Amino acid sequence: MALIVQKFGGTSVGSVDRIKAVAQRVQATVAEGHSVVVVVSAMGKTTDTLVALADEITDNPSRREMDMLLSTGEQVSIALVSMALQELGQPAVSMTGAQIGISTEAAHSRARILKIKTERLKRCLDGGNVVVAAGFQGISSGDDSINEFEITTLGRGGSDTSAVALAVALGGDHCEIYTDVPGILSTDPRIVPEAQLMAAVTSDEMLELASLGASVLHPRAVEIARNYGMSLVVRSSWTDDPGTWVRSAAVGNRSLENLEISRAVDAIRYDIHQAQVNLLHVPDRPGIAAQIFGELANAGVSVDQIVQSIHAGNTNDIAFTVREPMADQTQVLTESLAAALQPKGNDGCVVWSADRSVAEVSICGAGMIGRPGVAAKMFATLAAAGVNIEIISTSEVQVGCIIGPTSGETDLQELCDRAVAALKKAFDLEDPAQDTPPLLEDDPNLAPVCGVALDAKQSQIAIRQVPDRPGMAAQVFEKLAEDGISVDMIIQSQRRETKDGVPTRDIAFTLAESDVDTATQRLRGMATEEGWGAIAVSREIAKVSIVGMGMAARPGVAAQMFQALADRGINIHTITTSAIKVSCVIGRDRGKEAVKAIHDKFGLEQPPGGADPTNT
Ligand code: ADP
Ligand code: ASP
Ligand code: MG
């Protein structure tokens, strides 16, 4: 007999008939001998209707009153689902977040879960009841009487998070998320109707796909599942099909205190056997990245990090790393590539360089999503340890820096040890850092690409000519974090320019479009004070990403993505990568077309080898 948490979304409890169907499904699970906790959302579009009501009264409702209002939606559905179960002869008890004892921070409308008291729940279950719990809500446990016992909500879509947190707190077997689609699809079905159902996906992939997954699964739910090794399945409310399993590696006994606000970073990875290659002043036109990485892939060179920084004039700089054993071969190839890419006219010339003494140091952790300041803390820590950052490349759950000794400095191993020791201390990590990122086995079941995501709500800001010395990236991102601005993709360019006798570099990043004005204002002030160059803003951008655990083991995956864009004449503004993700910033007007082209290129509309959905 297992303990299973079943969560039903708004559409699944959208009418009386659907509530009755939910009750039947729950009863069937109990009949199989399981204990069941049901988590429900508000019926249909209730939450939207309540938001609209508040809008009719005020443009600026207090967050506290919004929580009071929105939490009522779930209270209606728990009572009705409970009645429907009782009507079938199944004992059931409905409970609000407060009654269960889901204690949260006092942050209204976006509270994180601190702890869940499980005694009462367990007693109810032991008494043969199904517990029907209200999703999306909790009660604050502030350390003063004003903030205590306040009704809080977890943010829109937060019932998924309630469900996974309950499964973890109760030591459940797994968590089932029932919704109105058959499971998680390879891309948003509203953009690509032929998007295919994934049989399984890892929680790491799902987190990197946050912008894809956010609409079907609350990213915080995935974060909890990953941190506590909880299995999760997303499936249709209307069928018995198996849906999509979100798999997480087993973890040790992790404390249930501060369930959602534990560490922002849970691993430091480093690799000193990296060689960096720079191709500077390559023409800025569609097809160049495809050509470079296509040729490397054809020669069997597996590329780790790729960074294309913002263009300067009509040329781009592309830097990438390979593992050292590939360095000689890569160097020969790069030389011939640079020759082939030379512009015909008087447009400057492509130059290349290679550097064998670099190391990659990364911080990884799901906790950094939506938490401003984590990257800034890494940069500040490295600066304080006297480590200069050559290249920065970030993804949703990772910040990677390429570091190398400056002239007259100590050797690479010493530099890397210093960086890692400082980061371990700063992020409070007791676990020994792993030497190299664990190599992913060449398992045929690991798809090189499992999903394609589009984020069309971001903008990009570039700061030109920031002095190239330790601490500059920290200064920029600390100031933005102070304003509560989360940045997404950070890129520090490779090209150095001399301004007033000082070597400088450009730093670019993407951020939510809604934060652009605040960030620009803040940075313009800093640029004037510090004597940096111009602040360039590109509002109309889109970020397209591919994610897949299997890409690390297969050369040429990034090249295929670039080729798909080149085939459509879509120009790539910037590129960043992590071990399992490649992201490109392009013009927003081409975003959907790009997703379709990439989805098609990887054949995601065809089930790979007639994927067996039961093979999870
Ligand atoms: P619920 O109310 O059950 O929580 P949601 O509306 O939050 O349901 O999430 C399900 C919806 O997410 C689907 O109806 C679908 O339109 C949308 N969606 C967007 N991207 C994807 C994707 N990659 N896979 C599946 N569904 C997606
Ligand atoms: N009812 C809430 C919402 O619509 C929570 C949820 O459905 O997950 O956002
Ligand atoms: Mg949802």
Side-chain angles (χ1 to χ4, degrees):
M1 180 177 120
L3 192 151
I4 297 170
V5 176
Q6 298 187 323
K7 179 255 168 180
F8 295 88
T11 329
S12 312
V13 290
S15 66
V16 165
D17 283 343
R18 287 183 175 172
I19 286 176
K20 288 182 179 170
V22 163
Q24 260 156 8
R25 187 184 282 273
V26 173
Q27 192 193 32
T29 311
V30 175
E32 286 168 19
H34 304 302
S35 282
V36 183
V37 173
V38 179
V39 175
V40 284
S41 293
M43 288 175 70
K45 298 266 173 232
T46 301
T47 314
D48 291 336
T49 311
L50 293 171
V51 170
L53 268 178
D55 281 349
E56 281 182 38
I57 292 180
T58 166
D59 286 340
N60 194 15
S62 101
R63 285 173 185 267
R64 179 185 187 277
E65 302 312 330
M66 279 310 277
D67 278 0
M68 193 63 89
L69 177 67
L70 299 192
S71 61
T72 60
E74 272 69 13
Q75 199 167 330
V76 171
S77 31
I78 52 172
L80 294 175
V81 170
S82 216
M83 287 176 201
L85 280 163
Q86 290 163 1
E87 194 60 20
L88 295 177
Q90 170 59 51
V93 184
S94 63
M95 281 193 209
T96 64
Q99 285 175 316
I100 297 165
I102 299 186
S103 53
T104 72
E105 308 167 299
H108 284 293
S109 81
R110 55 189 150 84
R112 288 190 179 239
I113 298 172
L114 300 173
K115 195 174 171 7
I116 303 183
K117 296 191 195 117
T118 50
E119 297 78 16
R120 181 167 177 199
L121 255 176
K122 281 187 178 147
R123 270 203 311 278
C124 287
L125 291 171
D126 290 347
N129 293 287
V130 164
V131 174
V132 186
F136 174 59
Q137 54 175 262
I139 187 135
S140 70
S141 69
D143 38 20
D144 57 72
S145 55
I146 299 176
N147 285 324
E148 209 168 8
F149 303 133
E150 288 283 67
I151 293 177
T152 53
T153 66
L154 312 182
R156 296 300 307 267
S159 296
D160 300 334
T161 296
S162 311
V164 180
L166 276 166
V168 164
L170 289 164
D173 185 73
H174 65 269
C175 181
E176 301 172 354
I177 308 276
Y178 289 91
T179 184
D180 59 355
V181 277
I184 302 169
L185 304 167
S186 53
T187 196
D188 190 331
R190 290 163 293 191
I191 302 177
V192 183
E194 310 77 44
Q196 266 305 316
L197 180 68
M198 301 180 198
V201 61
T202 65
S203 51
D204 285 303
E205 289 169 316
M206 208 54 210
L207 283 168
E208 289 280 23
L209 283 169
S211 45
L212 165 65
S215 9
V216 60
L217 201 53
H218 206 221
R220 280 164 51 189
V222 184
E223 184 184 333
I224 301 172
R226 174 183 176 276
N227 288 347
Y228 290 91
M230 176 57 62
S231 292
L232 193 64
V233 60
V234 179
R235 56 170 74 133
S236 165
S237 273
W238 329 128
T239 69
D240 288 324
D241 293 340
T244 306
W245 280 90
V246 182
R247 295 179 302 189
S248 298
V251 293
N253 256 349
R254 193 169 171 137
S255 162
L256 292 166
E257 293 287 329
N258 289 338
L259 201 133
E260 267 204 276
I261 60 159
S262 53
R263 297 194 305 223
V265 170
D266 53 28
I268 295 172
R269 297 197 177 135
Y270 65 94
D271 181 4
I272 65 163
H273 303 292
Q274 291 267 316
Q276 181 187 330
V277 178
N278 310 309
L279 268 163
L280 308 185
H281 305 283
V282 298
D284 178 27
R285 61 161 197 266
I288 297 291
Q291 184 180 345
I292 296 171
F293 295 100
E295 289 196 21
L296 289 166
N298 286 342
V301 172
S302 187
V303 176
D304 282 353
Q305 288 250 18
I306 303 174
V307 177
Q308 177 182 304
S309 38
I310 41 159
H311 66 110
N314 52 2
T315 66
N316 282 322
D317 298 340
I318 298 180
F320 59 93
T321 61
V322 293
R323 297 216 79 211
E324 227 159 27
M326 295 268 183
D328 285 336
Q329 190 193 356
T330 308
Q331 216 159 306
V332 175
L333 282 167
T334 311
E335 191 169 359
S336 67
L337 267 167
L341 291 172
Q342 290 305 334
K344 304 284 178 293
N346 261 352
D347 263 355
C349 66
V350 177
V351 289
W352 72 278
S353 60
D355 186 352
R356 297 209 177 179
S357 33
V358 296
E360 184 188 341
V361 181
S362 318
I363 54 171
C364 317
M368 66 177 77
I369 295 178
R371 225 180 278 188
V374 177
K377 187 168 171 184
M378 177 184 197
F379 305 149
T381 306
L382 292 178
V387 177
N388 199 27
I389 304 167
E390 294 283 326
I391 293 186
I392 300 170
S393 178
T394 58
S395 75
E396 314 270 352
V397 288
Q398 180 176 323
V399 185
C401 295
I402 303 290
I403 59 172
T406 44
S407 54
E409 224 190 1
T410 45
D411 65 276
L412 185 62
Q413 181 75 59
E414 195 280 329
L415 181 80
C416 191
D417 288 348
R418 187 149 36 99
V420 171
L423 290 171
K424 275 171 78 172
K425 190 152 179 258
F427 289 105
D428 202 15
L429 294 173
E430 305 92 6
D431 304 338
Q434 297 155 26
D435 184 16
T436 44
L439 278 180
L440 299 161
E441 287 165 40
D442 195 10
D443 174 351
N445 293 323
L446 292 175
V449 175
C450 69
V452 185
L454 173 69
D455 189 338
K457 290 195 180 122
Q458 293 208 350
S459 295
Q460 182 163 286
I461 297 186
I463 318 165
R464 302 283 186 187
Q465 298 172 316
V466 180
D468 182 27
R469 60 167 187 264
M472 296 314 294
Q475 191 180 336
V476 169
F477 295 107
E478 267 168 0
K479 284 285 185 289
L480 295 175
E482 275 169 26
D483 291 341
I485 297 175
S486 275
V487 298
D488 179 26
M489 202 170 142
I490 302 175
I491 307 167
Q492 176 176 285
S493 73
Q494 186 46 35
R495 191 185 307 189
R496 277 201 184 92
E497 262 179 286
T498 306
K499 183 172 189 255
D500 307 328
V502 179
T504 65
R505 288 191 201 205
D506 299 342
I507 298 180
F509 57 92
T510 62
L511 74 173
E513 198 174 14
S514 51
D515 285 334
V516 168
D517 292 331
T518 322
T520 313
Q521 211 178 354
R522 169 67 92 155
L523 293 171
R524 291 229 157 98
M526 285 170 76
T528 314
E529 263 170 46
E530 306 277 340
W532 302 340
I535 307 292
V537 181
S538 320
R539 274 176 199 272
E540 299 280 298
I541 60 148
K543 186 178 84 174
V544 276
S545 309
I546 53 170
V547 172
M549 291 296 268
M551 70 171 64
R554 256 164 274 204
V557 175
Q560 263 180 286
M561 176 186 191
F562 304 149
Q563 191 58 53
L565 296 174
D567 291 346
R568 301 283 177 119
I570 299 174
N571 200 23
I572 303 172
H573 299 190
T574 52
I575 303 169
T576 54
T577 57
S578 77
I580 61 167
K581 179 177 189 175
V582 183
S583 296
C584 296
V585 165
I586 58 170
R588 192 174 294 169
D589 55 336
R590 311 293 299 271
K592 288 188 180 167
E593 184 188 350
V595 168
K596 282 197 198 96
I598 296 166
H599 196 264
D600 196 37
K601 186 88 183 170
F602 288 102
L604 292 178
E605 74 287 1
Q606 311 276 345
D612 174 5
T614 54
N615 182 17
T616 59

